Amino acid sequence: MNPDLCVRIDVSDGVATLTWDMPGRSQNVFNEASLTDFEAAVEQALGDESVTGIIVTSAKKDFIAGADLDAVRTMALSPKDAAKLDATVGELGRVLRRLETGGKPSVAAINGTAMGGGLELALACHHRIVSDHPKLKLGLPEVSLGLLPGAGGTQRLPRMIGVQPSAPLLMEGKRLSAQAMKGLGVVDAVVPSGELLDAARAWLATGPSAIKPWDNKRFKVPGGGMDATEAKQMLMVGTAMLMDKTYGNYPAPLAIMSCLAEGLRVGFDEGLAIEKRYFIKLLMDPRSGSMVNTLFINMQSVSKLAGRPEGVPRFKPTKIGVLGAGLMGAGIAYATAKSGIDVVLLDIDQARADKGKEYSVTRLAKSVKKGRRVQGQMDAILARITPTADYADLAGCELVVEAVFENREIKAKVTQATEAVVGADAIFGSNTSTLPITGLAEASSRPANFIGLHFFSPVERMPLVEIIVGAETSEATLAQSMDYVAAIGKTPIVCQDSRGFYTSRVFGTYVTEGVQMLTEGIKPALIENAGKQTGMPMPPLALADAVGLKLMYSVGVATKADLGDAAPDNPSQPVLQELVVNQGRHGKSNAMGFYDYEGRAKKLWGGLGTHWPVGGSQPGVDEVKRRLLYVQSLEAVRVFEEGLVATAAEVDVGAILGWGFAAWTGGPLSLIDQVGAVDFVAQCDALAEAHGERFRPTSGLREMAASGARFYTV
Ligand code: NAI
């Protein structure tokens, strides 16, 4: 047997078993080598007269994970060449069609998770049997990366189960359990894992047909296909809803909709050709390349701690302290305990500490009620949280997260009280949102162990932690803090100490730009509509209200007090002063901000026009959108060029996970690659002439434009 083969073939008793087992990898993926081997195995099975049936299975834990990361990366970042894509795309689809029409019945024996092309392979088989492993998931996640299932998935699935049941799988990338897929009719049987191959053989022994329903002339799509009223409605309403929700920023769901609308009206092979055409169209779209690059490749490298300092032993946290059981502390305690780590949750008195633990009780009770957890699991998580007001309980904590009031003196006091009881090598991580870490570390007798761990609210839902490295923070402290963040299932990015760190500094420019436009006389409704159309989660003025105008105003006052004349010019401060100090409008918290709030409804405050009169001529919506996005990209470039965040991947992933930067761009730096440095620099120069120096491109960007460089290359 050739040990380099990705797919083995064993023939016995008239059955050819094709086993995917790629050498040197933990998972099976589609790449050139595996596809070549798979095709050879398929041809051998079809050509062998003794073979009457084919089983496709895997020797790995999972079935097939999908496309190979390196191949996807190359495809996403290579210059776009339609003719080349036309020649290369569709190879997997071709092999699958051969297996489907080769005249011998085939069965997918799915032993583990199958994603993307892995599930498409199974759909091409004549039967699907899945192991009952509880963690096994099946899905077509391509849409979340700006792509579509391009190996027949958009055509086979609706022909198997109907248009409407296919929609969430294709257009939202839903991943489901084997049982749920059986309910939908995607899977034929679910069996104990030890019986998988026997069940596959037993099915082949029944002498099944090797002809798919859609290869019969009289085939009709279940549920009436695209002519059914529901399907027509879905097409019309669905397209309108998609446009309403995404402003056309995401090309993939619309392309999938077109594959259904056009592909289901024609024969199967024509349908495949239509799918291929839309797939290539998406591959040519720079937005898909950016999404694949950031949401798949960069996300993986950042989550796998690519920037972790080497040579520091892995840290497996067992006991963590949390100081302050308020909004953030309670959330951090919950996220930590949920990950199987003991937590000591400390506040000024027992009652406040207990209240912090209540947060976990409420969350867990909800998940038990919804059937996501059983009571025993809830009890076990709660048993890990010890609420206390006694510092002695912190003894033995390997790492302590501080989340008390945003006040230097209080933070200094709790740092010293903690260091008096924890071991000499314990790490102290402050969750401060605004105070520089190096300054806070002055209160510590072990500044090498002192670091910033900036969580986002609500902690259990927000996937990012921004780690802040102070002037004296050691590499070991950084590495182990990254291990802790990963241990609680979150993604860390690393930022050097500086005002606003990375996320708040760049995010702030979005809100400030919106406020600046108001002072220029741009209609508030135009600012807000353009904000929505950029794909940011909220328009800038509504976001300012949600963050809190009072909070933003006091941060501005504190910055001015700290830096004096060196404080950067902040055009939003006079506006905030008028609203907060003179008008008593604090934002959403008191139902009065840029908007008036009544229950769930809100409308822009009528007084805005009195204080900031609307000008006679108004810019186009595209210019407003450009300002709102580019101002963030430029600030992200400055952070990157100043060396505060080491990699473009962390800058982009941090923006998307941290403040919901428009995902179709792939992040603020990817956006510049998408536009092209030459055009970006020219457009920013024009914006700088019209609106101020904050739009002036950096010298680094000018060099990139001159040399044709990009943030990401193959
Ligand atoms: P919070 O006011 O909800 O909670 C603070 C808690 O600290 C209170 O329970 C208070 O009793 C306790 N506390 C005060 N002094 C203490 C002491 N000496 N010893 C022990 N406990 C003490 O505040 P929140 O929002 O949880 O913020 C905590 C920290 O997290 C602040 O530094 C804040 O800047 C930062 N942060 C807040 C975010 C947010 O969205 N609220 C986001 C990221 C960071």
Side-chain angles (χ1 to χ4, degrees), residues 219-252:
F219 173 73
K220 291 249 182 321
V221 177
M226 289 316 296
D227 290 327
T229 315
E230 294 84 7
K232 277 190 196 150
Q233 268 172 359
M234 189 192 85
L235 190 67
M236 278 184 325
V237 180
T239 309
M241 268 172 54
L242 266 174
M243 288 304 288
D244 197 44
K245 232 166 83 181
T246 66
Y247 299 94
N249 285 328
Y250 295 89

Side-chain angles (χ1 to χ4, degrees), residues 150-221:
T154 70
Q155 300 303 303
R156 287 195 179 92
L157 194 62
R159 282 174 169 85
M160 286 169 70
I161 64 172
V163 177
Q164 277 195 305
S166 307
L169 298 174
L170 291 169
M171 271 176 311
E172 295 162 33
K174 280 231 153 76
R175 298 152 196 236
L176 299 179
S177 67
Q179 280 301 350
M181 283 294 198
K182 182 161 181 276
L184 283 174
V186 177
V187 160
D188 299 292
V190 180
V191 301
S193 56
E195 297 167 20
L196 194 59
L197 289 180
D198 285 343
R201 283 174 183 278
W203 179 76
L204 288 174
T206 62
S209 160
I211 297 176
K212 278 286 178 68
W214 43 88
D215 285 319
N216 273 320
K217 274 219 165 60
R218 279 201 291 276
F219 173 73
K220 291 249 182 321
V221 177

